[in-house]
Amino acid sequence: MHATQTPYTENPLRGIILLLCRCVLGVIFFSHGWSKFTAPTIQTSIKQFTAWHVVYPEITAPLVALLEVIGGACLVLGAYTWVFCVLLSLEMAGAIWFVHQHHGVFVGQGGWELCAALIAGLMSLSIASAGAYSYDAWANGGENNTRRSRSRRR
């Protein structure tokens, strides 16, 4: 018996799977960004960024919080997906660099594993597209048109 796998682009569940992936990642980022504004205020986040030696914490903390809130919402909606995947991946790379690299791998010890997993999810989503159930697909006349328009630009 020879097992075959349905090609990814022809999988009938592809749009649903990408929607679920976007929602999980989007809720994670939105929640973390919102907590930076409300825990109990942005000043708390600025103090934490200062303790982590993040450059210009008075500017960086609010920008990171804003990126996570807007980026998380856009991921859920599937709007400008690859742009926010790249921006949020760069932010997570910064979090690894400034906060997590000296604490080992495991998140329970302050390590970098969650940031790395988020980067992997974001990068996978950025190359897969937002899927059929997204603003990106709607704005471009369907998921297949989104892929075609990208390949024409190259």
Side-chain angles (χ1 to χ4, degrees), residues 126-142:
S126 74
I127 62 171
S129 87
Y133 307 109
S134 67
Y135 171 82
D136 290 345
W138 174 81
N140 290 297

Side-chain angles (χ1 to χ4, degrees), residues 53-113:
H53 305 289
V54 176
V55 294
Y56 305 111
E58 304 83 13
I59 298 169
T60 309
L63 284 179
V64 164
L66 194 62
L67 172 61
E68 289 178 351
V69 168
I70 294 172
C74 284
L75 287 179
V76 170
L77 297 172
Y80 310 101
T81 305
W82 74 268
V83 173
F84 282 106
C85 284
V86 170
L87 291 174
L88 290 165
S89 292
L90 291 170
E91 182 216 333
M92 287 294 96
I96 290 171
W97 180 262
F98 286 104
V99 181
H100 301 286
Q101 71 172 329
H102 301 295
H103 300 285
V105 175
F106 302 110
V107 71
Q109 299 163 351
W112 50 264
E113 71 178 331

